[in-house]
């Protein structure tokens, strides 16, 4: 399931949900995703620094092995989604000061 809006409802057991940035990283410096203010992914525009879940933050253990980051766009896919994943996902694109909040319930 793909998401471009600010709110999405999914049922537990849905395979995955994708949160889109609508940008290309080669035009940006940094793309950061947070879940309830916990850093879960980060990608630099030059693609030299990319981290997912516990590589970025030990507090992101809940997402271990379930995050996929599109290196071109920075879009985030969460697999094996469950009720513990309900909350606010925040996108921050530093070079253009873009911020986007997506609520998953």
């Amino acid at each position: 399931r793909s998401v471009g809006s600010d709110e999405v409802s999914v049922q537990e057991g849905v395979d995955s949900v994708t949160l889109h940035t609508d940008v290309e990283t080669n035009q940006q410096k940094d793309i950061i995703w947070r879940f309830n203010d916990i850093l879960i992914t980060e990608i630099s525009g030059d693609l030299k620094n990319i981290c997912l879940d516990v590589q970025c933050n030990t507090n992101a253990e809940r997402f271990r092995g379930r995050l996929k980051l599109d290196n071109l766009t920075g879009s985030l896919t969460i697999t094996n989604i469950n009720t513990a994943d309900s909350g606010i996902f925040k996108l921050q694109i530093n070079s253009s000061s873009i911020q986007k909040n997506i609520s998953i319930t």
Side-chain angles (χ1 to χ4, degrees):
R1 185 168 192 186
S2 296
V3 180
S5 64
D6 294 332
E7 186 173 332
V8 64
S9 296
V10 294
Q11 293 180 340
E12 188 169 19
V14 172
D15 287 340
S16 65
V17 63
T18 300
L19 310 178
H20 294 284
T21 62
D22 300 322
V23 299
E24 291 187 18
T25 57
N26 62 4
Q27 300 170 347
Q28 308 300 325
K29 289 185 181 174
D30 293 301
I31 294 178
I32 297 170
W33 283 100
R34 297 180 189 277
F35 171 72
N36 293 338
D37 293 323
I38 297 170
L39 177 67
I40 57 172
T41 69
E42 185 172 6
I43 186 171
S44 64
D46 60 7
L47 303 178
K48 288 183 181 175
N49 297 314
I50 299 172
C51 68
L52 294 171
D53 53 63
V54 294
Q55 297 170 342
C56 295
N57 185 335
T58 57
N59 292 326
E61 178 68 35
R62 75 177 342 127
F63 294 107
R64 183 186 288 270
R66 299 191 304 123
L67 300 179
K68 295 179 182 175
L69 192 60
D70 183 312
N71 292 347
L72 180 61
T73 65
S75 294
L76 178 65
T77 300
I78 307 156
T79 61
N80 300 321
I81 200 150
N82 59 61
T83 55
D85 299 331
S86 294
I88 303 294
F89 289 81
K90 293 182 181 179
L91 167 66
Q92 182 178 356
I93 302 173
N94 291 338
S95 65
S96 56
S97 301
I98 294 172
Q99 291 191 339
K100 182 176 182 181
N101 294 337
I102 300 173
S103 174
I104 294 183
T105 57

